[in-house]
Amino acid sequence: MADFKAVGKQFTEFYYQTFDSSRAGLKDLYRPNSMLTWESKEIVGAESIVEHLQNLPFQSVVHKITTIDAQPSSEDGRNILVSITGQLVVDEDIEHPLPFSQVFQLVQQAGSYFVFNDMFRLNYG
Amino acid sequence: MADFKAVGKQFTEFYYQTFDSSRAGLKDLYRPNSMLTWESKEIVGAESIVEHLQNLPFQSVVHKITTIDAQPSSEDGRNILVSITGQLVVDEDIEHPLPFSQVFQLVQQAGSYFVFNDMFRLNYG
């Protein structure tokens, strides 16, 4: 079994660094059968997912991670579920960060991971 | 492929109704290899998970669901990932509901689903 917690943490940090600096760079993390649910909108496929992320209506965004949890998501321990809570700082509005939660399932293929599932929600509570 | 959204919604409503009325009744939803991560604490196995849930330090709790998202979590469409955001009202303190997020992976076995993954976090933002 992979060290699922270390993989979850590394993936999460890499994902948000890439998201916050250059969203186009996220494309290699998805596959044609990957699914994103973004605030109830459902999108399938790497190209469509990254197009959606690039067209989000903000100029700059910073993800501040509060918690990262990870578990093996398949009995063979190859795949990993990662659940994150945190805050989004959008367009440098540091006075009004937006709480969010996001879930990824990372599926192992040929020694590396891709994102099979991705679900994002702002969490107004 | 199962109707993953309908399953996710039915499961979520049943789960929280059972949690809020009789936590012992949750045991049949888990298996010996199920994993719960509750506010960073990791617990494996139906018995240990339900024991943990029964020993939580509150008398009464009501889950108010804000959003339910679901996706197929395996390529054959048998398993389902469910991500929930909402508010917890603990011991009737309706003035101070606690935002939470929770993720389940439901795994299909012999025509029914069990909870393989369960991750819970309060989301203070």
Side-chain angles (χ1 to χ4, degrees):
Chain A
M1 188 181 295
D3 182 349
F4 59 90
K5 283 194 206 184
V7 172
K9 183 169 183 291
Q10 280 170 22
F11 167 80
T12 302
E13 290 170 355
F14 176 76
Y15 186 91
Y16 291 136
Q17 279 166 15
T18 306
F19 193 113
D20 296 351
S21 59
S22 168
R23 277 171 254 168
L26 298 172
K27 196 172 145 191
D28 292 344
L29 299 176
Y30 297 93
R31 293 286 179 277
N33 58 351
S34 301
M35 185 168 180
L36 166 67
T37 306
W38 181 276
E39 292 284 283
S40 85
K41 184 178 167 67
E42 296 178 345
I43 302 143
V44 174
E47 300 236 357
S48 301
I49 288 170
V50 173
E51 188 182 335
H52 175 77
L53 297 177
Q54 288 184 287
N55 288 334
L56 289 170
F58 42 70
Q59 294 299 309
S60 78
V61 64
V62 177
H63 289 77
K64 294 181 180 290
I65 300 167
T66 307
T67 65
I68 304 173
D69 293 316
Q71 294 186 354
S73 60
S74 55
E75 294 208 35
D76 61 11
R78 289 167 55 87
N79 303 335
I80 297 173
L81 201 57
V82 190
S83 176
I84 299 122
T85 67
Q87 295 188 317
L88 277 185
V89 176
V90 171
D91 293 336
E92 301 182 8
D93 185 5
I94 58 175
E95 301 290 322
H96 302 97
L98 307 172
F100 74 92
S101 57
Q102 190 158 13
V103 183
F104 297 97
Q105 186 184 200
L106 309 181
V107 167
Q108 203 177 132
Q109 194 174 64
S112 67
Y113 293 94
F114 72 93
V115 176
F116 186 61
N117 301 98
D118 180 353
M119 294 194 264
F120 174 90
R121 280 280 179 183
L122 294 174
N123 197 337
Y124 296 107
Chain B
M1 188 181 295
D3 183 349
F4 59 88
K5 283 193 203 183
V7 172
K9 183 170 184 290
Q10 280 170 23
F11 166 80
T12 301
E13 289 170 354
F14 176 76
Y15 186 91
Y16 291 135
Q17 279 166 16
T18 307
F19 194 112
D20 296 350
S21 59
S22 168
R23 276 172 255 168
L26 297 171
K27 196 173 144 190
D28 291 344
L29 299 177
Y30 297 93
R31 293 285 179 279
N33 59 351
S34 301
M35 185 168 180
L36 167 66
T37 306
W38 182 278
E39 292 284 283
S40 86
K41 183 175 166 67
E42 297 177 346
I43 302 144
V44 174
E47 302 237 358
S48 301
I49 288 170
V50 173
E51 188 182 336
H52 174 79
L53 297 178
Q54 289 185 286
N55 288 334
L56 290 171
F58 42 69
Q59 294 300 307
S60 78
V61 63
V62 177
H63 288 78
K64 294 181 179 290
I65 300 167
T66 307
T67 64
I68 304 173
D69 294 316
Q71 294 186 355
S73 60
S74 54
E75 293 209 36
D76 60 10
R78 289 166 56 87
N79 303 335
I80 297 173
L81 201 57
V82 190
S83 176
I84 299 121
T85 67
Q87 296 187 316
L88 277 185
V89 176
V90 172
D91 291 336
E92 302 181 6
D93 185 5
I94 58 174
E95 301 290 321
H96 302 99
L98 307 171
F100 74 92
S101 56
Q102 190 159 14
V103 182
F104 298 97
Q105 185 182 205
L106 309 180
V107 167
Q108 203 177 135
Q109 194 174 65
S112 67
Y113 293 95
F114 71 92
V115 176
F116 186 62
N117 302 97
D118 179 353
M119 294 193 264
F120 174 89
R121 280 280 179 183
L122 293 175
N123 196 338
Y124 296 107

